[in-house]
């Protein structure tokens, strides 16, 4: 008897294919980026290579992993099956074909971009009826954030192709970064304390509903500040009244970023991260959250001209997104396939390597060691994700050992 392709366990839940393909793509993108930086290969991309690197790490790698988290989490929150089988396959296919949109392929590059945006619309189509109901009111901001992510994705693509001002490309890519971060903060706020309670004996923390609401809705103020700042940065004049307005906008931008730092530090400390030190599968999540908090602080200093934007952004991306994502994909891949939730020695080694990559990328440029920072962090990233692929491929492709649905 023939077994349907879509009945394989790989297509039962979103985290399996998106974690695997996203991780492989993260290796390929950074590997190719290092080759371009080293002039080992000519740049075949039709746009600025820095724009391409940033775009693909946000709308390619990060998007894939977050979709794996998001659909797995929403499925648990709503106790319903949302994405599996053919629908999961086609969403993954659209995402995969969307990875060719920045290559000089003529009409095919536009088709690729269209499929990539279509994958975002498909995500909203699937999430909307599940979350926009009274019982899911506290999770509804996820739909709003993903809607903005789709808009920023569209604007970044148009800017990269000079349909809009190409100088605005990084603005929209950075806004996409922050949407990913805010989705991680929402999901992290649900799962990190829960995970801590499961593995730390006698664990408890103080719940602060008002703080949680602030963390969920403050990002929308941040989006506005970044859009206003970006608009005036490209339209500023030397008139004194314009300079006064610019100072107000800079102050607004600083306050919105610094508020995110303060609120998330308070939340982070309320979770008692120091209690996780004996559990690598847990402290890696707290380490990722630490990089988010530090990144918001550094990014607020960027507004005042006291810190380089590239290092601040990479504290949020390689650190906040990369480290937190790595912690989640290792834990979810074990827990949701019915395996013991314990990080292997190789996985712990990957945790350490990835954090060294963050340190190199964020701090070495402050001493003028740019090329060393790029290559050390890139090699560390690649090595960490290769270790994930080596250890977790069989886990992600195999049925649960207990025979239960995955």
């Amino acid at each position: 008897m023939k077994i349907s392709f879509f009945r394989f366990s790989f297509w039962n839940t979103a985290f399996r294919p998106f974690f695997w393909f996203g991780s492989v793509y993260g290796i390929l993108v950074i590997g190719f980026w290092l080759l371009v930086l080293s002039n080992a290969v000519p740049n075949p991309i039709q746009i600025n290579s820095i724009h391409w690197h940033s775009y693909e790490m946000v709308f390619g790698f990060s998007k894939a992993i977050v979709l794996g988290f998001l659909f797995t989490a929403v499925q648990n929150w709503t106790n319903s099956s949302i994405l599996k089988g053919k629908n999961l396959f086609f969403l993954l296919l659209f995402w995969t074909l969307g990875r060719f949109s920045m290559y000089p392929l003529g009409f095919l590059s536009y088709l690729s971009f269209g499929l990539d945006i279509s994958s975002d619309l498909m995500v909203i189509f699937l999430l909307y009826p599940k979350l926009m109901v009274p019982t899911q009111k506290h999770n509804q901001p996820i739909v709003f954030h993903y809607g903005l992510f789709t808009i920023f994705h569209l604007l970044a693509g148009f800017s990269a192709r000079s349909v809009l001002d190409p100088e605005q490309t990084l603005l929209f890519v950075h806004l996409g970064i922050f949407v990913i971060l805010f989705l991680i903060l929402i999901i992290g706020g649900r799962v990190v304390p829960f995970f801590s309670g499961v593995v730390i004996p006698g664990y408890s923390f103080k719940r602060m509903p008002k703080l949680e609401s602030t963390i969920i809705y403050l990002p929308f103020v941040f989006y506005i500040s970044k859009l206003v700042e970006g608009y005036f940065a490209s339209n500023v004049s030397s008139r004194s009244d314009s300079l006064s307005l610019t100072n107000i906008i800079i102050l607004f931008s600083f306050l919105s970023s610094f508020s995110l730092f303060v609120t998330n530090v308070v939340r982070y400390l309320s979770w008692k991260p120091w209690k996780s030190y004996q559990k690598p599968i847990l402290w890696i999540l707290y380490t990722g959250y630490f990089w988010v908090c530090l990144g918001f602080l550094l990014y607020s200093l960027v507004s005042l001209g006291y810190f380089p934007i590239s290092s601040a952004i990479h504290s949020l991306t390689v650190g906040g997104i990369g480290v937190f994502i790595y912690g989640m994909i290792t834990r979810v891949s074990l827990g949701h396939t019915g395996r013991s939730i314990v990080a292997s020695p190789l996985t712990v080694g990957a945790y350490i390597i990835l954090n060294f990559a963050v340190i190199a990328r964020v701090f070495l440029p402050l001493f003028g060691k740019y090329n060393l920072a790029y290559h050390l962090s890139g090699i560390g990233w690649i090595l960490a994700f290769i270790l994930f692929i080596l250890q977790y491929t069989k886990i992600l492709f195999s049925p649960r050992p207990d025979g239960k649905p995955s």
Side-chain angles (χ1 to χ4, degrees), residues 127-246:
L127 291 179
Y128 188 90
K130 297 295 183 180
L131 295 183
M132 300 306 289
V133 295
T135 56
Q136 292 293 324
K137 187 176 181 180
H138 60 300
N139 290 320
Q140 289 174 2
I142 288 175
V143 180
F144 304 141
H145 281 297
Y146 204 89
L148 288 171
F149 181 79
T150 303
I151 293 170
F152 297 146
H153 187 181
L154 189 66
L155 294 174
F158 283 167
S159 298
R161 291 170 174 76
S162 298
V163 176
L164 300 174
D165 182 1
E167 296 297 322
Q168 297 295 308
T169 303
L170 278 183
L171 168 64
F172 298 125
V173 171
H174 286 178
L175 283 166
I177 289 171
F178 285 105
V179 176
I180 294 291
L181 280 167
F182 297 141
L183 288 172
I184 285 175
L185 293 180
I186 292 173
I187 296 171
R190 308 279 191 273
V191 302
V192 173
F194 171 75
F195 293 163
S196 300
V198 170
V199 300
I200 301 175
Y203 176 83
S204 65
F205 72 102
K206 183 180 179 181
R207 299 183 185 277
M208 295 178 280
K210 290 185 178 179
L211 177 67
E212 292 301 315
S213 295
T214 301
I215 289 174
I216 287 176
Y217 292 104
L218 184 59
F220 295 103
V221 177
F222 178 85
Y223 294 142
I224 293 171
S225 75
K226 289 292 105 184
L227 288 169
V228 171
E229 183 183 5
Y231 173 79
F232 279 94
S234 59
N235 293 278
V236 70
S237 70
S238 60
R239 291 169 47 188
S240 60
D241 57 340
S242 295
L243 292 176
S244 297
L245 181 58
T246 300

Side-chain angles (χ1 to χ4, degrees), residues 276-285 287 323 326-327 329-331 334 340-357 380 383-389 391-392:
S276 68
Y277 75 97
Q278 291 184 320
K279 306 288 184 180
I281 202 82
L282 186 58
W283 64 243
I284 188 63
L285 299 177
T287 306
V323 174
Y326 203 94
I329 62 177
T330 52
R331 192 198 189 284
L334 294 172
S340 177
I341 307 174
V342 177
S344 69
L346 276 180
T347 298
V348 176
Y351 292 165
I352 295 170
I353 291 168
L354 192 55
N355 276 285
F356 273 117
L383 181 56
F385 278 92
I386 286 176
L387 288 174
F388 174 79
I389 292 298
Q391 294 182 90
Y392 287 85

Side-chain angles (χ1 to χ4, degrees), residues 25-37:
Y25 191 63
I27 294 169
L28 295 177
V29 168
I30 296 299
F32 183 72
W33 171 238
L34 290 180
L35 292 175
V36 171
L37 279 178

